[in-house]
Amino acid sequence: MAMIAVLALLLDALIGWPDAVYRRIGHPVTWLGRLISALDRALNKGALRQAKGALTVALVVAAAAIPAALVQVWLGPWVAAVLAWPLVAARSLDQHLRAVARPLAAGDLPAARAATAMIVGRDVTRADAPALARASLESLAENASDGVIAPLVWAAIGGLPGIAAYKAINTMDSMIGHRTPRHEQFGMIAARLDDLVNLIPARLTAVLIALASGRRARGALRVAWRDAPAHRSPNAGWPEGAMAGALGCRLSGPRVYADRVAEEPWLNAGAPDPQAADLARGIALTRRAVALAGAALLAFALI
């Protein structure tokens, strides 16, 4: 199973998901998204919304995992690795963050705001350079866990059905796992299940980020251990805290959404705000962390 994860990561690093392929057939996550949207429209109304949400979770996970399991049994691990490839998002994450880092380093705030708005949900229309760097680094750390390390972990555990089930759960959380009047009950099971399947990967991501930071590893782990429990998410605070400690800057804190200001606690409070150069350092740090994960998986597969 670990070799499936290694090969999927290698294919993603070399090729990514080409735009020409996306324009022609979309992406497995978009296919899942259409199914989730259809079930949301059909079931998220009337009474028993939490039960209907649980049914949605079961249907979406089954729709992802059962065909994946059949493919792996019938066609073998090499085909499974190729099909797992688009479910690892290391290259895409790197590209999206570099799209912010370039204009931010050049002082082009409008372009940096536009690129940041593509990867975060908060309002960045009036954000200054430190706020843009902070938002982007938080997205980088969280998505290093959700988009790269967690899929690799579940591929190593369960092969193609493992990574497919994980992506189904994670996509449901991003679409319906919100504390809004419409989704608070319907998306509750999806959100709780996403918390569960990311429990170990988020902490593993924090360790990998710390190890990749070299001499700052102990400080990175100390910040994550101390500050992650205060984060609004039971998981995201771990990689974000490690990133803050590794770079020697503060992350999280108050942020503006469309209709409110969220007074979030700081990670690594007392440290300075990140600057444009810190975003570039964070991207390089994440690359090293992912490389460490790949090396560990390869060693495990060979053993």
Side-chain angles (χ1 to χ4, degrees), residues 158-184:
L160 182 60
I163 192 174
Y166 172 77
K167 292 304 289 188
I169 294 166
N170 190 241
T171 304
M172 281 189 286
D173 178 63
S174 67
M175 293 182 66
I176 63 174
H178 308 298
R179 292 182 178 177
T180 61
R182 175 171 177 79
H183 287 120
E184 185 169 11

